[in-house]
Amino acid sequence: APADADVAARTEPEMPVEEGEFSHEGQLGFVVRGETDVKDPSLGPTVGLSFGALSWLELSGLALIQRSTGARIAATVLVLPRSAMKPFVRLGVPMFFEGGTHAGIHGGAGLQWDMSRNLGLGVDLSVEHFSDLGLGSYTAAVVGFGAQARAF
């Protein structure tokens, strides 16, 4: 009987593993987003690259193609990194280059839906604060949405 149990154990089909299927770890991504300031609604595109440094940590660099040209570097913590639905929090440094370089702080939260390991859609709400944009400080509530294509 023990030999029969060994044969049965080896021939039983393995359950499909969904855990980890949607991890971004080790993936290079291309990001296209639209963002708008709630106080001054004008849609501005952002484009850039992302990299899944760990299963739960993604780093990104984006060009802000808005009224003022800028850039943002950010770290995103994926709360459920191996799930198709990923709540996230993001901390970053936005910079605008009109009349000099003006850096601020960016913090936000959102949800990303990964349709596959290589493609996802997301939406988020963030707050950005600049202590000096040449005309004093400015705080913006930013709504963003976009797509991310990932390789590898």
Side-chain angles (χ1 to χ4, degrees), residues 1 12 18 22 28 32-33 38 52 57 64 74-75 81 89 95 111 116 133 139 146 149:
E12 258 183 52
E18 292 180 27
F22 296 103
L28 182 62
V32 176
R33 293 175 41 86
V38 174
L57 178 65
L64 307 175
V89 293
M95 296 164 275
L111 182 66
S116 72
L133 282 177
T139 301

Side-chain angles (χ1 to χ4, degrees), residues 1 3 18 32 37-38 44 48-49 51 57 59 71-72 77-78 108 116 139:
E18 292 180 27
V32 176
D37 179 349
V38 174
L49 299 176
F51 178 71
L57 178 65
L59 306 174
R72 180 187 309 122
V77 174
L78 304 166
S116 72
T139 301

